[in-house]
Each structure stands twice: as C-alpha cells, then as structure tokens.
Amino acid sequence: MAESLVAAEDEATAPLPPPPPTAAVAAESGNPETEVDGFRRRIDDLISQADELEKKVSEVVEFHANKKQTNNLKGNSVVRDKEKERPIGNGSSNNCVNNSGSNSNSKTQGDAGRKEAVCSKRMQELMRQFGTILRQITNHKWAWPFMDPVDVKGLKLHDYYEIIKKPMDFHTIQNRMETKDDYRYKNVREICADVRLIFTNAMTYNDEKNDIHQMAKTLLEKFEEKWLQLLPKVVEEETRQKEEEAQVIVNMQSVQEANIARLARDTHTELNELNSLLEDLRKSVVQKCRKMSTEEKRKLGVGLSNLSPEDLNKALEIIAQDNPNFQSTAEEVDLDMDAQSESTLWRLKFFVKEALEQQAKNSATKADENSKRKKEICDALAKTAKKRNKKLSS
C-alpha cells in the first residue's frame, strides 16, 4: 500500500492545488520532491501505527487462545485425575494465594497479599498445635534413639545408606520448623510425613525382634492417634485454602478479561482511525496525480482482462467502493473507464500492476517446477535404460 501511494506521486506531472488540511506535507507545496518526502513520512507513521496495532491484536488473540486451551484442559479427565493425585501443599500451591499477574490491578494485589497473610497465620497456628504433639512424642521414654541423626560410622552400620535412602530425626525436624529460610516447612503435612519417616526408617532397618523396631512401632502408633485428633482441623484449613486460591484465580481472570476487553475496544477504535488516516492520505495522493490518458485507460482495460477470476473480483470491489450503484457481483460487467473517477482509475492501475506481477512470478515458479520434474523423469528413464543395456550386454 505504501509503495502504491509513493508510486502515484511519481506519476504526477504537474502539481494541482494544495491538498486539504489533513495532508501533512511540507509548506513548500510547489516542490514535488518535498511533497513526496511528506507523503513518505506519513506512510512511515501509518506503518508504525499499524505495527503497534498488530501487537495489540496479537495480545488479544493470544489471551483468548490460552483461555480456550485452559478450558479444554479442564475438561480432560486425565488432567483432572492428575490434579486429584497432586499432594496438597506442594510447590506453588503451598501459598494460600498467588501473586497477581501483570494484568491485575493494585486492588487485586492488595487483596491477595492480605489473604496470604491471614492464611499464613492460620497455618502457623496449626503448626503450633502440631508442635504440642511433637513434644509429647519426643518426651516419651523411648524417643531417645530418634532424637539425633543415626551415628552410622560409630555404630559401624555400613549398609545403612543402602537401605535407608532418606534419613530423618527429630533434631532435623526441629531445625526445619525454626528456620526462617526456604528450608522451613510450609505446612503441617510436611512435618507429619517426616515424623512418620523417622519411625518407618527404624522399622525398615531393624527386624521385628529388635528393640529399636518395637520402640519405633509403639511411638508411631501413639503419634497416629494424636495426629487423627488434629487431622480434621488440617483438612478444614486445606479446603479453605483451595477455595481461597480458586477465588483469587477467578478474580485475576476477571481483571485480565476486563483489561483484554478494554484493549480490544481501544484497538478497534485505533484501527478505524488508522483506516480514516489512510483514506485521507490516498485522496491526497490522488489529488496530486495527473489525469489518466486514453491510452493508459485502454492498457488498464487490457490488464483487467488478464487478471485471474479471484483478482478480477477484487478489482471490481475497488470500483464498487467509489460507485455504490456498480454491481460488482453481476455475471457480466460493462465497465466504462471514462465514467470512473481518477481515484478509482489510479487504485485500479496499481492493483492490476501488482496482481499481474504476482501472476507472472507464480507462472515462472510453476514452470521451473515442471522443468525440474521433467528433468528428473528423463534422468530416471536414462538411468533405467543404461542398467537394461548393461544387463543385456552381460
């Protein structure tokens, strides 16, 4: 489009009256070269605006494509099963709420932060109650073998690490509960799993007749009894966390959808404005063009007759844009070149030129492909004949 506009200016032989106020050309309107530069600058500006609009459109399209994909995944039973199997409190789901995305507003971020703080406080209370259970177990008279890491070297347990892949002890658990870094437990179930690991390790390494095995078994049973008393509160909190996480996600999606909807509306408005500017520029360029000669109109008619059916329909649509009474869909069209406006004639000329050039390229490409195919067939036939002759001669 930009090349066509500039080319139209190059066709001008004599400047006409200055363009309307919308034309952003230099003050020296009598200088054709200056006017061409002005048109080119306007074209560059329009191209830049079109690039920005393309980015916005891509953002809207990507959002809806991702949303559609997410909806499809939600309907996939395999995905649902995996979600059910995912342990509560692992990975990013340890947090009560997620940080709001780039499209969420400050209010959503503030709400998410407050909910996360409240959720963390509730989880800390559960951990405090679990700590009471932990003290009751560690104060038992049989808890002493499990307080510190197993002295593998001192006890000469050479096969310990071959049997026990993840050693655990109460001292390690206590350190993780008290630390302030990322090593800290995120929820009660993580601590519960490590407490069980202490006893199952001891029962795995030592046979049933061993005192350590019996001590671990007894303490594990006592722990499970106390854990069952706390478990309803844990389940209640986990359910509450899931509901809050789901609500935060819904809120974030609502904000994102509102932003995307606003972006789509703004993009539509900007696109209409860009089309209006483009139309003004086209009219300005046509005003600068000389009138088309009779010979040029004749050549244009010949060019139209050589168009493909698809391109011919597009050319007829160009004519219909400036002539509402023109029937571009009729089976037979009687086209009077002299009755067309200069704007229509010049638009047709550049369209026909580009269309015929593209047709020529396509024809050349097809001819090259046919020639290459014929050569391949000839080579194959020659090769086959050579093999046959060689076989006969032998």
Side-chain angles (χ1 to χ4, degrees):
M1 182 63 183
E3 294 177 355
S4 300
L5 292 170
V6 175
E9 173 57 26
D10 294 338
E11 291 281 352
T13 58
L16 295 175
T22 55
V25 297
E28 304 175 22
S29 58
N31 187 336
E33 293 183 1
T34 303
E35 291 174 355
V36 170
D37 290 339
F39 283 125
R40 283 175 175 156
R41 283 195 297 273
R42 291 185 65 191
I43 292 170
D44 291 339
D45 290 341
L46 292 175
I47 291 174
S48 178
Q49 293 181 43
D51 290 341
E52 291 299 320
L53 284 175
E54 184 177 3
K55 293 178 182 178
K56 294 179 179 179
V57 170
S58 298
E59 185 176 347
V60 174
V61 171
E62 182 179 0
F63 173 83
H64 288 291
N66 291 338
K67 183 179 178 182
K68 182 178 180 181
Q69 183 179 13
T70 300
N71 291 337
N72 290 338
L73 288 175
K74 287 181 179 179
N76 190 308
S77 60
V78 176
V79 174
R80 289 202 303 268
D81 290 341
K82 288 183 177 180
E83 286 296 316
K84 290 179 181 178
E85 294 172 0
R86 181 168 57 87
I88 299 172
N90 270 339
S92 60
S93 62
N94 288 333
N95 296 326
C96 299
V97 292
N98 297 323
N99 290 332
S100 52
S102 57
N103 290 332
S104 58
N105 58 24
S106 57
K107 184 178 184 302
T108 304
Q109 291 177 338
D111 292 342
R114 285 189 292 273
K115 289 181 179 179
E116 184 175 7
V118 172
C119 179
S120 178
K121 188 175 180 179
R122 294 198 307 264
M123 184 57 68
Q124 290 301 318
E125 174 58 24
L126 283 177
M127 288 187 177
R128 187 192 65 78
Q129 296 180 37
F130 188 88
T132 301
I133 297 176
L134 207 57
R135 284 192 295 274
Q136 291 173 350
I137 297 299
T138 55
N139 287 335
H140 193 278
K141 61 180 180 179
W142 289 350
W144 61 267
F146 315 109
M147 297 304 298
D148 297 305
V150 176
D151 185 6
V152 176
K153 290 185 178 180
L155 297 174
K156 297 181 180 180
L157 307 177
H158 305 297
D159 61 346
Y160 186 80
Y161 293 119
E162 295 178 5
I163 299 173
I164 304 302
K165 302 303 181 183
K166 186 181 178 182
M168 186 55 60
D169 60 273
F170 284 113
H171 183 73
T172 300
I173 291 177
Q174 193 64 36
N175 287 340
R176 284 195 64 181
M177 291 180 66
E178 295 176 354
T179 187
K180 300 297 184 182
D181 55 24
D182 293 337
Y183 187 63
R184 180 184 178 89
Y185 288 112
K186 302 300 187 301
N187 57 64
V188 176
R189 285 189 184 269
E190 289 183 350
I191 315 175
C192 178
D194 279 352
V195 172
R196 286 172 175 161
L197 186 61
I198 293 175
F199 300 130
T200 54
N201 282 348
M203 295 166 64
T204 299
Y205 189 77
N206 301 279
D207 59 46
E208 293 184 4
K209 295 181 181 180
N210 189 286
D211 291 342
I212 298 297
H213 182 105
Q214 293 301 321
M215 294 164 69
K217 183 178 180 180
T218 300
L219 290 177
L220 178 58
E221 290 174 353
K222 291 183 177 295
F223 170 74
E224 294 294 353
E225 290 177 2
K226 297 182 180 298
W227 167 249
L228 285 177
Q229 297 174 8
L230 182 63
L231 186 57
K233 294 182 179 180
V234 175
V235 173
E236 180 184 358
E237 175 58 25
E238 289 170 344
T239 303
R240 190 172 179 180
Q241 285 185 20
K242 283 186 175 181
E243 292 173 353
E244 290 179 355
E245 288 175 0
Q247 186 59 49
V248 169
I249 292 174
V250 169
N251 292 342
M252 290 172 59
Q253 289 176 341
S254 298
V255 172
Q256 287 179 328
E257 290 177 359
N259 288 339
I260 288 295
R262 182 167 56 253
L263 179 62
R265 290 194 299 271
D266 293 344
T267 302
H268 179 72
T269 301
E270 292 177 29
L271 185 59
N272 289 336
E273 293 175 353
L274 183 62
N275 286 332
S276 177
L277 291 173
L278 192 60
E279 181 64 20
D280 290 342
L281 180 59
R282 182 180 65 80
K283 292 179 180 178
S284 298
V285 170
V286 171
Q287 280 186 331
K288 291 295 180 179
C289 292
R290 58 173 170 78
K291 290 187 176 182
M292 191 173 287
S293 66
T294 302
E295 178 62 18
E296 287 175 314
K297 293 178 182 178
R298 185 191 68 78
K299 290 182 178 180
L300 177 57
V302 174
L304 286 169
S305 65
N306 291 327
L307 290 178
S308 66
E310 182 180 358
D311 287 334
L312 182 59
N313 287 334
K314 293 179 180 179
L316 296 179
E317 290 175 1
I318 292 176
I319 298 173
Q321 288 177 5
D322 287 341
N323 187 356
N325 296 325
F326 180 76
Q327 298 295 326
S328 61
T329 57
E331 293 183 2
E332 293 185 5
V333 177
D334 184 13
L335 184 59
D336 183 2
M337 289 295 184
D338 293 329
Q340 307 306 317
S341 66
E342 290 299 319
S343 172
T344 299
L345 290 174
W346 282 106
R347 291 179 67 191
L348 280 175
K349 178 175 181 178
F350 296 121
F351 173 78
V352 169
K353 180 181 178 182
E354 292 177 359
L356 292 177
E357 289 176 351
Q358 186 60 45
Q359 285 182 198
K361 287 182 181 179
N362 294 339
S363 298
T365 301
K366 188 174 182 179
D368 290 342
E369 291 177 353
N370 291 337
S371 177
K372 184 178 179 180
R373 181 58 179 164
K374 288 180 181 179
K375 186 176 183 305
E376 290 176 351
I377 294 173
C378 291
D379 291 344
L381 292 173
K383 189 175 182 180
T384 302
K386 186 176 180 181
K387 286 183 178 180
R388 186 185 300 112
N389 293 335
K390 186 177 181 180
K391 186 175 181 180
L392 292 175
S393 63
S394 61

